[in-house]
């Protein structure tokens, strides 16, 4: 799969769904719950899915199927066990010889997490619906599909994944992008993790700046200009991304792919890094 073919528009998807070999559809509606008002109900992606989803789409639970159990030193959304991830994908009908399209409610972060995991574990053709469900103007359905079991067997790539030590090294030798909001990068606020700030040497690059007001990605040329201005050279294994827990960071990896730049993801991200008191923390607007 070419990097720049990592996304698909709603009109393109409608055309493919009407064809002879429609893609497998995965619905990954999810929201990060931060500082909810007292008594406010938690977001329920499965309930949103049941109320209406793309025809034939299978719901995938990010916290249960795209992440493992968070433990000491693991970060909030560690990698899932490969056997569990593979079983979930096969149950959803995923096979290596059939295209996959993933979508969420519109933010794109959850869909990008699924895209990154499938891509990293060897699926050759997976794309994200650009702008998510909000861009779809066709019919929705409420029934729960029963897809034919797939045959996908995850086989992780040798590259594409960073641990804490590799992220620290890349911040010095290449380009490590921090996809969180700029105020969290600076350390002005930290609503979730133990301490605010960033990995020394990392460059602030909020993932929200990769999309327009409609939630769709900016044109590839604009994204390429943005990442080049931040220091991306296009050299192999020289760009990495982290965020809070490896979800919005996957969206930034996707934006880099749209720009034609391959990037690695530090899945543990700031939730893992900041939990280790031996790791250095930088604050302020500059990388150092």
């Amino acid at each position: 799969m070419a990097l720049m073919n990592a996304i698909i528009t709603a009109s393109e998807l409608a055309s493919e769904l009407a064809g002879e070999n429609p893609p497998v559809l995965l619905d990954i509606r999810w929201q990060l719950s931060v500082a909810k008002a007292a008594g406010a109900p938690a977001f329920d992606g499965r309930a949103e899915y049941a109320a209406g989803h793309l025809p034939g789409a299978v719901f995938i639970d990010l916290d249960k199927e795209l992440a493992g159990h968070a433990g000491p030193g693991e970060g909030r959304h560690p990698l899932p066990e490969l056997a569990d991830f593979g079983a979930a994908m096969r149950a959803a009908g995923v096979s290596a010889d059939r295209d996959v399209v993933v979508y969420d409610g519109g933010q794109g972060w959850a869909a990008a997490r699924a895209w990154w995991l499938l891509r990293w574990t060897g699926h050759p053709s997976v794309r994200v619906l650009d702008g998510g469900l909000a861009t779809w103007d066709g019919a929705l359905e409420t029934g729960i599909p029963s897809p034919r079991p797939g045959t996908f067997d995850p086989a992780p790539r040798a590259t594409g994944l960073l641990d804490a030590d590799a992220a620290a090294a890349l911040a010095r030798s290449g380009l490590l992008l921090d996809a969180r909001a700029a105020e969290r990068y600076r350390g002005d606020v930290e609503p979730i993790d133990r301490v605010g700030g960033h990995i020394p040497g990392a460059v602030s690059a909020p993932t929200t700046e990769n999309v327009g007001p409609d939630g769709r990605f900016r044109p590839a040329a604009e994204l390429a200009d943005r990442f080049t201005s931040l220091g991306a050279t296009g050299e192999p294994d020289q760009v990495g991304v982290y965020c809070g827990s490896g979800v919005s960071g996957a969206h930034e990896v996707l934006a880099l792919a749209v720009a034609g730049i391959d990037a690695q993801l530090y899945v543990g991200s700031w939730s893992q890094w900041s939990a280790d008191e031996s790791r250095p923390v930088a604050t302020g607007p500059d990388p150092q």
Side-chain angles (χ1 to χ4, degrees):
M1 180 186 66
L3 286 177
M4 295 178 72
N5 291 332
I7 58 176
I8 185 172
T9 66
S11 61
E12 291 169 338
L13 177 58
S15 178
E16 292 193 13
L17 289 175
E20 295 183 358
N21 296 299
V24 173
L25 293 179
L26 303 181
D27 183 311
I28 306 101
R29 271 179 271 185
W30 172 89
Q31 287 183 8
L32 177 65
S33 298
V34 181
K36 296 193 299 291
F43 177 82
D44 187 345
R46 192 175 295 276
E48 294 283 328
Y49 166 83
H53 52 266
L54 296 190
V58 175
F59 180 74
I60 298 295
D61 189 315
L62 185 148
D63 289 317
K64 296 178 180 178
E65 296 169 309
L66 303 182
H69 296 292
E74 293 289 333
R76 288 191 304 279
H77 290 106
L79 290 174
E81 294 292 334
L82 284 179
D84 295 339
F85 174 64
M89 293 300 100
R90 290 190 293 274
V94 175
S95 297
D97 61 355
R98 188 176 175 191
D99 292 352
V100 175
V101 172
V102 296
Y103 72 91
D104 57 27
Q107 188 178 41
W109 294 4
R113 172 75 175 213
W115 168 85
W116 180 85
L117 263 174
L118 280 165
R119 180 171 172 262
W120 178 67
T121 54
H123 198 286
S125 182
V126 53
R127 290 164 292 171
V128 171
L129 176 59
D130 192 17
L133 185 64
T135 66
W136 181 261
D137 58 7
L140 299 178
E141 68 179 25
T142 57
I144 307 301
S146 299
R148 176 184 298 179
T151 60
F152 181 65
D153 186 16
R157 295 164 50 193
T159 60
L161 176 67
L162 298 172
D163 61 14
D165 290 338
L170 187 60
R172 299 301 183 185
S173 65
L175 177 65
L176 182 66
L177 299 175
D178 185 317
R180 298 172 301 155
E183 59 268 25
R184 293 184 68 190
Y185 171 89
R186 294 191 301 266
D188 298 345
V189 298
E190 182 44 63
I192 309 173
D193 295 310
R194 183 184 65 85
V195 64
H198 58 270
I199 296 173
V203 174
S204 180
T207 197
T208 52
E209 296 180 15
N210 295 322
V211 299
D214 60 358
R216 302 184 195 190
F217 280 106
R218 293 162 55 184
E222 289 185 18
L223 290 172
D225 287 344
R226 181 190 188 213
F227 293 123
T228 298
S229 71
L230 292 171
T233 63
E235 296 180 21
D237 303 326
Q238 288 302 300
V239 179
V241 181
Y242 75 96
C243 57
S245 65
V247 178
S248 66
H251 190 268
E252 185 120 301
V253 173
L254 175 59
L256 283 151
V258 173
I261 301 170
D262 202 0
Q264 305 174 87
L265 178 65
Y266 172 27
V267 171
S269 285
W270 190 247
S271 60
Q272 181 185 51
W273 182 279
S274 63
D276 184 348
E277 296 186 17
S278 71
R279 297 284 179 185
V281 172
T283 57
D286 299 320
Q288 304 300 326

